[in-house]
Amino acid sequence: MKKRTISDKLLDLLQEKNILGKPQLKKILNIHKKRGGSIGKILIGEKIISHKDLMIFLSAELDIPPIDLSKYKVDPNVAKLIPEKLAVKHILIPISRIGNTLTVAMSDPTDILAIDDIKSTVPRDIENIDTVIAAGNDIKETLARTFGAPGEDLSSVIKGVDGESVEVVEEEKIDISEITAESQKAPIVKIVSLILNEALRARASDIHIEPCERDLRVRYRVDGTLREALRLPRKNQNAVLARIKIMSRLDITESRIPQDGRFRIKLGQREIDFRVSVLPISFGNKIVLRALDKSNLSVGLDKLGFLEKPLSAFTKALEKPFGMILLTGPTGSGKSTTLYSIINKLNTPEKNIVTIEDPVEYEVEGITQIQANADIGLTFANGLRSILRQSPDIVMVGEIRDFETADIAIKASLTGQIVLSTLHTNDAAGAITRLIDMGVEPFLIAASLVLPAAQRLQRKICPRCKEPVDIPRAVLERIGGNINIDALMKRRPFYRGKGCPRCNNSGYMGRLGVLEALPIDDEIRDMIIKRVPNDEIKKYAVSRGMMTLRDSALENFAAGLTTLEEVLRITTGE
């Protein structure tokens, strides 16, 4: 018997109290089937229930306690156990940690994807996640206070800019025409150019430009970790943000709703695309720029750092005439780059390659790319249905989020197409269970799935400050994995990065791809049809020679490419 989810119980409660009729229930289920996401958010969006009433229902009937964050002081060190980007995306914040249990305030505790993301990003010593309910606005204000704390100005940024000092109208007297003119002046143009150039020089994948109470903070994400780069006076905030909006062709008069845009710059022989996301926060508009370097796509799968054994299984799967290949892993684990590298390799005049993404990451010549837009009904499922009428050879779906998308993708793979996509699961075998949980019949999964693979990005030791480090045998024995400890000890010395100016004293420089590839054979197909648990499928695959994420990460450690801390960081679930 199928286990009742929190969402199922919520719908039952609403029907029992005559708040939700059968026509409305059918509508809600259809929306959920098409768009995916949380039932709670759909109910609020359709104005069937208010957020306050939802909190009361969940608290009273499902034993999820509410909390008034406006009267609660959150420890910043606890709040930052979950990355800011993830907290803002799902409207949640950690509020307490006791031992190995983390309590998280959420606007919607029924959001399973959010809870999955939390589990994949918290420190490895946190074993339990407890949830409480809080008002969305209270969570957003707490996030802004926590991650937007004021600090010291770095006046050296302004000193390096020629021209007159920048004077921008005060916030309470904002004049759009003046801000537009100010954003085109030499000092502001040079400040924005400096931010972009320094980010590329530092090998940053993301640039966070965040208005705070007293200043404008700029942070770079380098090798997966955010670090502060500089702070600008608050008086320059509006002109800097307007300059980036103008470059991205966004509406500078709009500051109340999120906006998305992109622009391109040329750096020597390289063309760099920047994907721009604007989010309204307490002190203005926060802008995050994702740097997309097309040169990364032409290096090929063999240059992404994968070990030979899992890469060989992956390559063999790509040689199949049809079927579905799934990449799994948390946000920021390199799934999109791997998929685009595959697409780039398969991109020939003889192949019709079509993608549907949200958003389109890289613009690649020779393939058809579709931007999903749920607001106009262009969901992954609807777009995929239309794509199949375009006679594609290879289809890439940015992410499988719901039953309808999964169902169409699987049936497409059974009718002669290669289908590539991603899922949010912790390991390769977890992709099978996730599809079954979505409602896909096991026999369809067994017939269509060629290879699920899990991916992570592992930081490499900086070659300039690399030094030997002694790690006792007892420590290695507690780590686990399938690597022989005696053989591992013979490969000493092990290494770490001491920290130097070149790596910003982090001890790391660059990242490696770590892959767990699970080829589907006849035995595994039988296991899928019989609904055998993940652990048994994984155990069988390991007995047949599959390298788990931890095995691959430990191999990189034994080869002196990374540290033991990195092995544990990216394989917390094993």
Side-chain angles (χ1 to χ4, degrees):
M1 183 176 177
K2 185 180 177 182
K3 186 179 178 182
R4 303 290 288 169
T5 66
I6 292 177
S7 296
D8 293 333
K9 293 177 183 177
L10 174 59
L11 292 174
D12 289 344
L13 286 169
L14 292 175
Q15 290 179 86
E16 287 173 13
K17 296 180 182 291
N18 295 321
I19 294 173
L20 186 68
K22 287 186 178 180
Q24 290 172 309
L25 174 63
K26 186 176 180 181
K27 181 180 179 183
I28 293 299
L29 293 176
N30 283 337
I31 293 173
H32 183 255
K33 189 176 180 181
K34 290 178 181 178
R35 300 182 189 171
S38 154
I39 288 286
K41 288 180 181 176
I42 295 171
L43 289 167
I44 293 171
E46 293 296 311
K47 298 183 178 178
I48 291 171
I49 187 172
S50 69
H51 197 287
K52 182 178 179 181
D53 288 339
L54 176 63
M55 288 175 62
I56 293 171
F57 269 123
L58 292 175
S59 176
E61 306 290 346
L62 305 180
D63 295 325
I64 302 177
I67 186 171
D68 186 353
L69 274 183
S70 64
K71 299 177 181 177
Y72 191 95
K73 187 174 181 180
V74 177
D75 183 348
N77 293 325
V78 174
K80 292 175 182 178
L81 289 173
I82 292 178
E84 177 187 6
K85 185 176 181 180
L86 180 64
V88 170
K89 176 183 176 183
H90 293 301
I91 314 180
L92 55 85
I93 187 168
I95 60 171
S96 169
R97 177 178 179 178
I98 301 175
N100 62 359
T101 299
L102 183 69
T103 301
V104 181
M106 302 179 67
S107 66
D108 182 9
T110 67
D111 191 339
I112 297 172
L113 287 177
I115 293 172
D116 283 349
D117 283 348
I118 293 170
K119 290 178 179 177
S120 66
T121 55
V122 295
R124 65 187 181 88
D125 56 339
I126 293 177
E127 298 176 1
N128 304 310
I129 303 294
D130 286 347
T131 59
V132 295
I133 310 169
N137 288 337
D138 287 349
I139 294 176
K140 290 175 184 177
E141 289 175 7
T142 307
L143 286 171
R145 287 196 303 270
T146 303
F147 290 98
E152 296 180 354
D153 291 346
L154 295 184
S155 57
S156 58
V157 178
I158 302 298
K159 288 180 182 178
V161 179
D162 297 329
E164 61 190 85
S165 61
V166 181
E167 294 293 335
V168 182
V169 290
E170 295 297 328
E171 186 175 358
E172 63 270 16
K173 297 178 182 178
I174 287 179
D175 185 317
I176 294 298
S177 60
E178 287 190 35
I179 292 176
T180 304
E182 201 71 43
S183 69
Q184 304 290 356
K185 288 186 177 180
I188 294 299
V189 171
K190 289 182 179 179
I191 286 173
V192 173
S193 295
L194 173 68
I195 291 171
L196 298 179
N197 285 326
E198 283 298 302
L200 295 175
R201 185 193 62 78
R203 303 175 296 105
S205 60
D206 300 271
I207 306 169
H208 290 240
I209 302 175
E210 305 159 300
C212 302
E213 186 176 1
R214 301 175 189 172
D215 51 25
L216 186 68
R217 179 171 66 166
V218 179
R219 293 189 292 169
Y220 297 152
R221 186 178 295 280
V222 180
D223 295 334
T225 304
L226 274 174
R227 63 176 177 83
E228 189 168 303
L230 53 95
R231 288 180 182 259
L232 298 170
R234 183 167 172 78
K235 66 179 182 178
N236 302 135
Q237 170 184 317
N238 292 323
V240 170
L241 298 182
R243 172 64 184 164
I244 295 173
K245 282 190 173 185
I246 290 169
M247 292 168 66
S248 310
R249 298 181 181 178
L250 298 176
D251 183 0
I252 67 169
T253 65
E254 180 57 74
S255 60
R256 299 167 299 170
I257 62 174
Q259 294 176 277
D260 294 300
R262 62 193 308 143
F263 64 88
R264 180 178 299 171
I265 67 171
K266 192 167 185 179
L267 186 67
Q269 299 301 313
R270 295 162 59 199
E271 281 192 353
I272 314 293
D273 283 333
F274 282 93
R275 196 182 76 213
V276 182
S277 174
V278 183
L279 183 71
I281 62 171
S282 299
F283 303 110
N285 281 179
K286 174 177 175 177
I287 295 183
V288 176
L289 300 94
R290 166 68 59 88
L292 304 167
D293 187 352
K294 288 185 180 179
S295 63
N296 292 336
L297 305 183
S298 58
V299 297
L301 280 174
D302 55 335
K303 299 294 192 299
L304 296 179
F306 299 136
L307 294 176
E308 184 178 348
K309 194 170 187 178
L311 180 60
S312 174
F314 204 90
T315 305
K316 285 179 182 176
L318 289 172
E319 293 172 357
K320 302 281 186 181
F322 62 88
M324 185 160 65
I325 297 173
L326 294 175
L327 265 180
T328 75
T331 301
S333 58
K335 302 187 297 294
S336 293
T337 299
T338 300
L339 284 182
Y340 272 104
S341 295
I342 294 169
I343 291 291
N344 212 49
K345 176 183 177 182
L346 300 176
N347 187 12
T348 63
E350 295 80 25
K351 297 278 177 66
N352 179 20
I353 302 175
V354 188
T355 76
I356 179 163
E357 307 162 67
D358 184 20
V360 172
E361 296 267 0
Y362 297 90
E363 294 176 351
V364 182
E365 186 176 351
I367 70 174
T368 303
Q369 296 174 275
I370 301 169
Q371 168 75 55
N373 187 345
D375 293 338
I376 61 172
L378 184 54
T379 60
F380 279 120
N382 289 338
L384 184 54
R385 194 178 285 109
S386 299
I387 286 171
L388 297 180
R389 292 194 284 268
Q390 295 279 318
S391 182
D393 297 299
I394 300 165
V395 177
M396 186 181 96
V397 183
E399 182 183 348
I400 292 178
R401 299 175 180 172
D402 52 51
F403 166 75
E404 190 174 10
T405 307
D407 187 53
I408 299 168
I410 283 176
K411 287 173 181 174
S413 69
L414 291 172
T415 55
Q417 281 86 32
I418 295 175
V419 177
L420 308 169
S421 191
T422 68
L423 276 176
H424 284 283
T425 63
N426 288 328
D427 58 10
I432 298 167
T433 302
R434 176 54 57 86
L435 290 173
I436 292 174
D437 288 345
M438 285 180 180
V440 180
E441 291 293 341
F443 75 89
L444 288 175
I445 300 172
S448 63
L449 190 59
V450 172
L451 179 130
Q455 181 173 325
R456 300 290 189 276
L457 290 178
Q458 186 175 40
R459 291 184 292 176
K460 293 193 294 185
I461 299 172
C462 173
R464 183 167 292 183
C465 59
K466 187 174 182 178
E467 65 176 15
V469 61
D470 182 47
I471 298 176
R473 181 189 180 95
V475 173
L476 296 174
E477 287 175 343
R478 289 200 299 270
I479 289 171
N482 300 297
I483 291 181
N484 184 284
I485 298 298
D486 290 328
L488 186 61
M489 292 298 291
K490 289 178 182 178
R491 298 176 69 174
R492 290 179 295 179
F494 305 123
Y495 294 93
R496 69 169 185 177
K498 183 179 180 181
C500 65
R502 185 184 179 192
C503 62
N504 198 39
N505 293 312
S506 68
Y508 297 99
M509 175 73 74
R511 289 188 286 181
L512 291 164
V514 179
L515 195 66
E516 174 184 291
L518 174 60
I520 303 296
D521 60 16
D522 290 340
E523 182 67 26
I524 293 179
R525 289 189 184 96
D526 288 340
M527 289 181 173
I528 294 171
I529 293 171
K530 294 175 183 176
R531 298 177 183 257
V532 170
N534 279 358
D535 292 344
E536 291 188 31
I537 294 176
K538 188 170 184 177
K539 186 176 179 181
Y540 167 78
V542 169
S543 72
R544 300 284 293 175
M546 183 188 82
M547 291 186 73
T548 66
L549 284 170
R550 176 153 291 184
D551 295 338
S552 295
L554 278 170
E555 178 60 34
N556 287 333
F557 162 69
L561 299 174
T562 190
T563 64
L564 191 59
E565 290 79 6
E566 274 297 283
V567 172
L568 298 175
R569 182 183 70 84
I570 69 166
T571 61
T572 53
E574 297 189 36

